[in-house]
Amino acid sequence: MKYVSTRGRAPVLDFGDVLLAGLAEDGGLYVPERWPALDPSVWAEPRPYVEVATDVMLPFVEGSLSRGELAAMAAEAYATFEHPDVCPVSELGDLHLLELYWGPTLAFKDVALQMVGRLFDHELRRRGERATIVVATSGDTGSAAIEACVGRDTLDIVVLHPAGRVSDVQRRQMTTVDAPNVHNVAIEGTFDDCQDLVKAMFADTAFRDRVRLAAMNSINWARVMAQVVYYVTTVARLGRCGFTVPSGNFGNIFAAWVAARMGVPVGQLVIGSNRNDILTRWVATGSLVAEEVVPTLSPAMDIQISSNHERLLFELGGRDGAATAELLARFRRLGSVEAPRTDRFDAAAVDDDETLATIRAVYEETGRLVDPHTAVGVAAARRCRRGGDPMVCVATAHPAKFPDAVERATGVHPALPERLADLMEREERYTVLGNDLRAVQAHVERCIAG
Ligand SMILES: *Cc1c(COP(=O)(O)O)cnc(C)c1O
């Protein structure tokens, strides 16, 4: 399998190169040269998660990994999940819930990153190289990336979080990991400052090459690939069904679109947004108009520029890289652009009041606690659902990851699972640095020197 850039001017690469490259040289995102068709036997009946994962991912790694290598990695990756089904489906009144929060850090990012950490390790070993992963996080990505890298001697990971601006649970999930290759930095600034520092480190080519910088953020194709799997296992369980996905960077719901493109009977696709609703406005009007990011109770979706959306725009524009590049350049310049449209998606924007009301209503009706991101999806599903297919709401985080909002809505404090029960007592380790590129770069070099 070969990969092309959505902006049409980067070298065509195989899977191993795409994995380590992250962003394409022309600023675009890598997508497979063609969409493979899945054999209907893959979703004809429920099968073990690891088997389905191997069948779904194999065509995308063809030429880089053997079936045996891929199956072994998937088996290891998903053994870290607490539920035997890995990504179980349960009932929630007249909806279903796809529970993606049984991994090490209690959010859906584990599903992809547990696989991606092993893919990186394998590829770097094959090349006899080491790499440094640098990640900016507003909460969930940092801990999931740390858990993907911890203890691997091919990787160092440095995570930048904005000091005082992530929740206690989220910070402690990162800073209590005690391993020589894990380095946490609190930046005196905002999440955007952290992200700008990471971008500046990648733009400094001498530095990038010296520390062999690599990215595990959500534009990495391997993350999308690993996320396709749970849409297939859900269809195997329920038959044709629709999905509602609480969306930020558009990676998760794009994976559902990919499953459909591979021939899997996926019904309605509903995008759930919080007040940062650029995607919902795009579905309604065809225009992409960026606005100020506003903080909400579902912080992992506080995003105005959804990076993975570019992959869909490339498809909708007939896979014309030059046209996609032009569209994105105009968007960056003007902050607003007429984009290709599709009626494949429905969408709803849900504000904080409705999010809290939904958490409360779900608790009263079913006795279950859902986190604020999942609640955005449930509210969007109720508003947009049509037709008779089952509707599956994608549950992207465990309620205990966002205890304040859940308690505010229901009066119930959601408990952390057993294995994290002592999180608040564990010792934290992190370095505090100013918003200063040179100081952060010097720190990264000290970290990897040991
Ligand atoms: C990352 C995240 C999302 C958004 O997913 P995208 O793939 O960026 O659309 C939603 N909910 C939670 C809990 C997340 O961590």
Side-chain angles (χ1 to χ4, degrees):
M1 175 67 80
K2 296 288 183 199
Y3 288 82
V4 297
S5 163
T6 51
R7 300 194 190 174
R9 296 178 54 138
V12 172
L13 300 180
D14 69 11
F15 177 78
D17 289 323
V18 165
L19 179 72
L20 298 187
L23 205 64
E25 261 173 31
D26 59 3
L29 276 61
Y30 275 107
V31 286
E33 200 170 46
R34 59 185 173 79
W35 294 108
L38 266 189
D39 192 275
S41 64
V42 175
W43 69 82
E45 58 185 351
R47 294 157 60 218
Y49 192 88
V50 170
E51 282 179 26
V52 179
T54 308
D55 288 340
V56 170
M57 293 191 281
L58 189 62
F60 294 116
V61 303
E62 199 184 42
S64 296
L65 286 172
S66 71
R67 185 182 182 90
E69 288 167 331
L70 182 67
M73 270 182 245
E76 252 188 62
Y78 297 118
T80 66
F81 278 57
E82 253 197 323
H83 197 288
D85 292 345
V86 182
C87 299
V89 181
S90 56
E91 285 182 12
L92 191 79
D94 62 345
L95 299 169
H96 287 81
L97 212 57
L98 171 56
E99 301 172 13
L100 301 184
Y101 49 69
W102 292 92
T105 72
L106 312 178
F108 93 99
K109 299 202 165 57
D110 290 324
V111 184
L113 284 166
Q114 281 299 311
M115 197 65 210
V116 167
R118 288 168 171 84
L119 289 164
F120 263 84
D121 191 51
H122 182 275
E123 183 63 23
L124 289 165
R125 245 174 237 290
R126 200 180 64 74
R127 297 172 184 222
E129 293 177 13
R130 286 180 55 85
T132 306
I133 306 287
V134 179
V135 181
T137 188
S138 60
D140 291 341
T141 304
S143 57
I146 286 172
E147 291 296 336
C149 296
V150 62
R152 299 191 183 285
D153 51 21
T154 51
L155 291 168
D156 274 290
I157 178 162
V158 183
V159 177
L160 311 184
H161 72 262
R165 294 177 194 243
V166 300
S167 78
D168 287 351
V169 173
Q170 288 177 322
R171 188 190 66 253
R172 286 178 159 275
Q173 283 187 305
M174 301 189 279
T175 59
T176 60
V177 177
D178 180 16
N181 71 329
V182 172
H183 315 280
N184 280 286
V185 181
I187 296 291
E188 292 169 326
T190 63
F191 169 62
D192 286 334
D193 295 331
C194 296
Q195 208 155 25
D196 289 345
L197 286 166
V198 172
K199 281 189 196 148
M201 284 190 262
F202 273 94
D204 179 346
T205 45
F207 176 79
R208 188 181 71 199
D209 295 344
R210 198 157 63 239
V211 305
R212 184 65 173 97
L213 222 49
M216 273 188 190
N217 55 9
S218 80
I219 52 94
N220 198 304
W221 162 255
R223 283 182 58 173
V224 176
M225 169 185 89
Q227 290 170 183
V228 176
V229 176
Y230 46 72
Y231 293 105
V232 183
T233 58
T234 303
V235 168
R237 198 160 296 279
L238 301 178
R240 185 188 152 90
C241 58
F243 292 96
T244 302
V245 186
S247 296
N249 265 326
F250 203 74
N252 202 355
I253 195 159
F254 183 68
W257 182 91
V258 171
R261 188 69 187 71
M262 294 173 83
V264 179
V266 171
Q268 197 184 357
L269 287 176
V270 179
I271 298 166
S273 311
N274 61 26
R275 273 190 56 211
N276 300 290
D277 59 350
I278 186 169
L279 292 168
T280 297
R281 288 181 282 118
W282 166 70
V283 166
T285 66
S287 307
L288 276 178
V289 183
E291 290 180 354
E292 282 285 299
V293 175
V294 292
T296 71
L297 295 174
S298 43
M301 293 151 61
D302 292 348
I303 286 166
Q304 279 290 343
I305 296 179
S306 303
S307 47
N308 273 290
H309 195 226
E310 179 168 343
R311 290 191 159 106
L312 182 70
L313 294 174
F314 176 70
E315 297 291 336
L316 298 178
R319 301 201 130 215
D320 180 341
T324 308
E326 210 265 321
L327 181 78
L328 270 292
R330 226 164 350 116
F331 181 53
R332 290 279 163 180
R333 203 166 60 240
L334 306 173
S336 136
V337 78
E338 286 306 305
R341 277 179 91 165
T342 169
D343 56 12
R344 184 67 185 86
F345 298 89
D346 294 289
V350 177
D351 66 17
D352 280 352
D353 287 341
E354 191 179 355
T355 303
L356 289 169
T358 304
I359 297 173
R360 191 175 314 121
V362 166
Y363 181 62
E364 282 166 2
E365 288 159 24
T366 69
R368 295 184 64 178
L369 298 175
V370 292
D371 99 286
H373 303 79
T374 305
V376 165
V378 170
R382 288 190 171 155
R383 229 188 284 163
C384 297
R385 184 179 187 183
R386 47 186 163 67
D389 291 338
M391 175 54 83
V392 179
C393 295
V394 176
T396 51
H398 191 286
K401 217 164 171 173
F402 299 92
D404 297 345
V406 173
E407 185 163 1
R408 210 166 120 195
T410 63
V412 179
H413 188 85
L416 283 164
E418 193 66 39
R419 69 198 140 97
L420 288 171
D422 66 343
L423 185 68
M424 295 318 212
E425 283 86 62
R426 293 182 196 167
E427 190 189 336
E428 292 190 80
R429 283 175 203 78
Y430 60 96
T431 305
V432 182
L433 292 176
N435 178 16
D436 171 355
L437 179 62
R438 295 288 161 245
V440 176
Q441 286 179 314
H443 182 72
V444 170
E445 301 212 53
R446 272 197 306 278
C447 286
I448 63 177

